[in-house]
Amino acid sequence: AGQKARRRLQSETMLRFSAVVLLACLGGSAAAVPLSPPTPPGGSVRALAADPAHPATVLLGTAHATLFRSTDAGSDWQFWSRIGDHDDWVVAALVADRTTPGHWFAALWSWSRPDGGVFASNDDGRSGQPLWLGHAVRALAEAPSDPRILVAATLDGVFRSQDSGREWARISPAQDRELRNVESVAVDPRNPQEIYVGTWHLPWKTINGGHD
């Protein structure tokens, strides 16, 4: 019993010492470290997006296909909805449509199957309908200069819609050894044909919508 007590005391001392060292590295004290409000339960956070028309309204997507919503800039959260009917779907990205209030897009992929897609909501994320299925979508972007254009980064390439998600076309070479496992995407604010994507090992760029 005496040995256990000594080991416990040593562990507690090391924990206190580690905390003091950490605070010293941060240049503060215990009283100076702010406590953040608790985040909502329901899976690891994978996507966050604010409503451009109402910046205090934020949607949060998790690794278990659930959405949470805050209307006070993240101070309080509530469970909002579940996207689709698969628990293994990950909400990879959330995009608020700047032209239509209450219209959102969500990108999903599955951690157990090569599946996923893009969903749309017309009621602030309370419900969602599939727009495009069959691809593991890891990132999604709306062109700032032309909101009708959406670009999806997937594990099997890059796809684009020019009609707000109704029709999609591949803009990366099919079966390309390099342009696959695409994890991030961005569209130039002034030129919707200038698209940047990032794979697991390299960044890529096109200046003409994927023709080159």
Side-chain angles (χ1 to χ4, degrees), residues 47-83:
L48 282 164
D51 186 341
H54 306 283
T57 298
V58 184
L59 285 187
L60 178 158
T62 77
H64 294 283
T66 55
L67 292 184
F68 290 82
R69 186 173 184 256
S70 171
T71 56
D72 54 9
S75 295
D76 298 286
W77 295 89
Q78 61 175 315
F79 173 82
W80 194 237
S81 65
R82 178 179 295 278
I83 302 179

Coordinates of all heavy atoms in Angstrom, one line a residue, residues 47-83:
A47 N -16.3 19.5 -40.0 CA -16.7 20.7 -40.9 C -17.4 21.7 -40.1 O -18.2 21.5 -39.2 CB -17.6 20.2 -42.0
L48 N -17.1 23.0 -40.4 CA -17.7 24.2 -39.8 C -18.0 25.2 -40.9 O -17.1 25.4 -41.7 CB -16.8 24.8 -38.7 CG -16.7 24.1 -37.4 CD1 -15.5 24.6 -36.6 CD2 -18.0 24.3 -36.6
A49 N -19.1 25.9 -40.8 CA -19.4 26.9 -41.8 C -20.4 27.9 -41.2 O -21.4 27.5 -40.6 CB -19.9 26.3 -43.1
A50 N -20.2 29.2 -41.4 CA -21.1 30.2 -41.0 C -22.0 30.6 -42.1 O -21.6 30.6 -43.3 CB -20.3 31.4 -40.4
D51 N -23.1 31.1 -41.8 CA -24.1 31.6 -42.8 C -23.7 33.0 -43.1 O -23.6 33.9 -42.3 CB -25.5 31.6 -42.2 CG -26.6 32.0 -43.1 OD1 -26.2 32.6 -44.2 OD2 -27.7 31.7 -42.9
P52 N -23.4 33.3 -44.4 CA -22.9 34.6 -44.8 C -23.9 35.7 -44.5 O -23.6 36.8 -44.2 CB -22.7 34.5 -46.3 CG -22.5 33.1 -46.6 CD -23.4 32.4 -45.6
A53 N -25.2 35.4 -44.6 CA -26.2 36.4 -44.3 C -26.4 36.6 -42.8 O -26.9 37.7 -42.4 CB -27.6 35.9 -44.9
H54 N -26.1 35.6 -42.0 CA -26.2 35.7 -40.5 C -25.0 35.0 -39.9 O -25.0 33.8 -39.5 CB -27.5 35.0 -40.0 CG -28.8 35.4 -40.7 ND1 -29.4 36.6 -40.4 CD2 -29.5 34.9 -41.7 CE1 -30.4 36.8 -41.2 NE2 -30.5 35.8 -42.0
P55 N -23.9 35.7 -39.8 CA -22.6 35.2 -39.4 C -22.6 34.5 -38.0 O -21.8 33.6 -37.8 CB -21.6 36.4 -39.4 CG -22.3 37.3 -40.3 CD -23.7 37.2 -40.1
A56 N -23.5 34.8 -37.1 CA -23.6 34.2 -35.8 C -24.2 32.8 -35.9 O -24.1 32.0 -35.0 CB -24.4 35.0 -34.9
T57 N -24.8 32.4 -37.1 CA -25.4 31.1 -37.3 C -24.3 30.2 -37.9 O -23.8 30.5 -39.0 CB -26.6 31.2 -38.2 OG1 -27.6 31.9 -37.5 CG2 -27.1 29.8 -38.4
V58 N -24.0 29.1 -37.2 CA -22.9 28.2 -37.6 C -23.4 26.8 -37.6 O -24.1 26.4 -36.7 CB -21.7 28.3 -36.7 CG1 -20.5 27.5 -37.2 CG2 -21.2 29.8 -36.5
L59 N -23.1 26.1 -38.7 CA -23.4 24.6 -38.8 C -22.1 23.9 -38.5 O -21.0 24.3 -39.0 CB -24.0 24.2 -40.1 CG -25.4 24.6 -40.4 CD1 -25.9 24.0 -41.7 CD2 -26.3 24.2 -39.2
L60 N -22.2 22.7 -37.8 CA -21.1 21.9 -37.5 C -21.4 20.5 -38.0 O -22.5 20.0 -37.7 CB -20.8 22.0 -36.0 CG -19.7 21.1 -35.3 CD1 -19.4 21.8 -34.0 CD2 -20.2 19.7 -35.1
G61 N -20.5 19.9 -38.7 CA -20.7 18.5 -39.2 C -19.7 17.5 -38.5 O -18.5 17.9 -38.3
T62 N -20.1 16.3 -38.2 CA -19.3 15.4 -37.5 C -19.0 14.2 -38.3 O -19.4 14.0 -39.5 CB -20.0 14.9 -36.2 OG1 -21.0 13.9 -36.6 CG2 -20.7 16.0 -35.5
A63 N -18.2 13.3 -37.7 CA -17.8 12.0 -38.4 C -18.9 11.0 -38.4 O -18.6 9.8 -38.8 CB -16.5 11.5 -37.8
H64 N -20.0 11.3 -37.9 CA -21.1 10.3 -37.8 C -22.4 10.9 -38.5 O -23.5 10.7 -38.0 CB -21.4 9.9 -36.4 CG -20.3 9.2 -35.8 ND1 -20.0 7.8 -36.1 CD2 -19.3 9.6 -34.9 CE1 -18.9 7.4 -35.4 NE2 -18.5 8.5 -34.7
A65 N -22.2 11.7 -39.5 CA -23.3 12.2 -40.4 C -24.3 13.1 -39.6 O -25.4 13.2 -40.0 CB -24.0 11.0 -41.0
T66 N -23.9 13.7 -38.5 CA -24.8 14.6 -37.8 C -24.4 16.0 -37.9 O -23.2 16.4 -38.1 CB -24.8 14.2 -36.3 OG1 -23.5 14.2 -35.8 CG2 -25.4 12.8 -36.1
L67 N -25.4 16.9 -37.9 CA -25.2 18.3 -37.9 C -25.6 18.9 -36.6 O -26.7 18.5 -36.0 CB -26.0 19.0 -39.0 CG -25.6 18.7 -40.4 CD1 -26.5 19.5 -41.4 CD2 -24.2 19.0 -40.7
F68 N -24.9 19.9 -36.1 CA -25.2 20.7 -34.9 C -25.3 22.1 -35.4 O -24.6 22.5 -36.3 CB -24.2 20.5 -33.8 CG -24.3 19.2 -33.1 CD1 -23.6 18.1 -33.7 CD2 -25.0 19.0 -31.9 CE1 -23.6 16.8 -33.1 CE2 -25.0 17.7 -31.3 CZ -24.3 16.7 -31.9
R69 N -26.1 22.9 -34.7 CA -26.3 24.3 -35.1 C -26.1 25.3 -33.9 O -26.6 25.0 -32.8 CB -27.7 24.5 -35.7 CG -28.0 25.9 -36.3 CD -29.3 25.8 -37.0 NE -29.7 27.0 -37.7 CZ -30.6 27.8 -37.2 NH1 -31.3 27.6 -36.1 NH2 -30.9 28.9 -37.9
S70 N -25.5 26.4 -34.1 CA -25.4 27.4 -33.1 C -25.9 28.7 -33.8 O -25.6 29.0 -34.9 CB -23.9 27.6 -32.7 OG -23.8 28.8 -31.9
T71 N -26.7 29.5 -33.0 CA -27.1 30.8 -33.5 C -26.5 32.0 -32.7 O -26.9 33.1 -32.9 CB -28.7 30.9 -33.4 OG1 -29.1 30.7 -32.1 CG2 -29.3 29.9 -34.3
D72 N -25.5 31.7 -31.9 CA -24.9 32.7 -31.1 C -23.3 32.6 -31.2 O -22.6 32.7 -30.2 CB -25.3 32.7 -29.6 CG -25.1 31.3 -29.0 OD1 -24.5 30.4 -29.6 OD2 -25.6 31.1 -27.9
A73 N -22.9 32.3 -32.5 CA -21.5 32.3 -32.8 C -20.7 31.2 -32.0 O -19.5 31.4 -31.6 CB -20.8 33.7 -32.5
G74 N -21.4 30.1 -31.7 CA -20.7 29.0 -31.1 C -20.7 28.9 -29.6 O -20.2 27.9 -29.0
S75 N -21.4 29.8 -28.9 CA -21.5 29.7 -27.5 C -22.4 28.5 -27.0 O -22.1 27.9 -26.0 CB -22.1 31.0 -26.9 OG -21.1 32.1 -27.1
D76 N -23.5 28.3 -27.8 CA -24.4 27.2 -27.5 C -24.7 26.4 -28.7 O -24.8 27.0 -29.8 CB -25.7 27.8 -26.9 CG -25.5 28.5 -25.6 OD1 -25.3 27.8 -24.6 OD2 -25.6 29.8 -25.6
W77 N -24.9 25.1 -28.6 CA -25.1 24.3 -29.7 C -26.3 23.4 -29.5 O -26.6 23.0 -28.3 CB -23.9 23.4 -30.0 CG -22.7 24.1 -30.4 CD1 -21.7 24.6 -29.6 CD2 -22.3 24.4 -31.7 NE1 -20.7 25.2 -30.3 CE2 -21.0 25.1 -31.6 CE3 -22.8 24.2 -33.0 CZ2 -20.4 25.6 -32.8 CZ3 -22.1 24.6 -34.1 CH2 -20.9 25.3 -34.0
Q78 N -27.0 23.0 -30.5 CA -28.1 22.0 -30.4 C -28.0 21.0 -31.6 O -27.5 21.4 -32.7 CB -29.4 22.7 -30.4 CG -29.7 23.5 -31.7 CD -31.1 24.1 -31.8 OE1 -32.1 23.4 -31.4 NE2 -31.3 25.3 -32.2
F79 N -28.4 19.8 -31.3 CA -28.4 18.8 -32.3 C -29.4 19.3 -33.4 O -30.5 19.8 -33.0 CB -28.9 17.5 -31.8 CG -29.1 16.4 -32.9 CD1 -28.1 15.7 -33.4 CD2 -30.4 16.2 -33.3 CE1 -28.3 14.8 -34.4 CE2 -30.7 15.3 -34.3 CZ -29.6 14.6 -34.9
W80 N -29.0 19.2 -34.7 CA -29.9 19.8 -35.7 C -30.5 18.8 -36.6 O -31.7 18.8 -36.9 CB -29.1 20.9 -36.5 CG -29.8 21.8 -37.3 CD1 -29.7 22.0 -38.7 CD2 -30.9 22.7 -36.9 NE1 -30.6 23.0 -39.1 CE2 -31.3 23.4 -38.0 CE3 -31.5 23.0 -35.7 CZ2 -32.3 24.4 -38.0 CZ3 -32.5 23.9 -35.6 CH2 -32.9 24.6 -36.8
S81 N -29.6 17.9 -37.1 CA -30.2 16.9 -38.0 C -29.1 15.8 -38.3 O -28.0 15.9 -37.9 CB -30.6 17.5 -39.4 OG -29.4 18.0 -40.0
R82 N -29.6 14.7 -39.0 CA -28.7 13.7 -39.5 C -28.8 13.6 -41.0 O -29.9 13.7 -41.5 CB -29.0 12.3 -38.9 CG -28.2 11.2 -39.4 CD -28.6 9.9 -38.7 NE -28.3 9.9 -37.3 CZ -27.1 9.6 -36.8 NH1 -26.1 9.3 -37.5 NH2 -27.0 9.7 -35.5
I83 N -27.7 13.6 -41.6 CA -27.7 13.6 -43.1 C -27.7 12.2 -43.6 O -26.8 11.4 -43.3 CB -26.4 14.4 -43.7 CG1 -26.4 15.8 -43.1 CG2 -26.5 14.4 -45.2 CD1 -25.2 16.6 -43.6

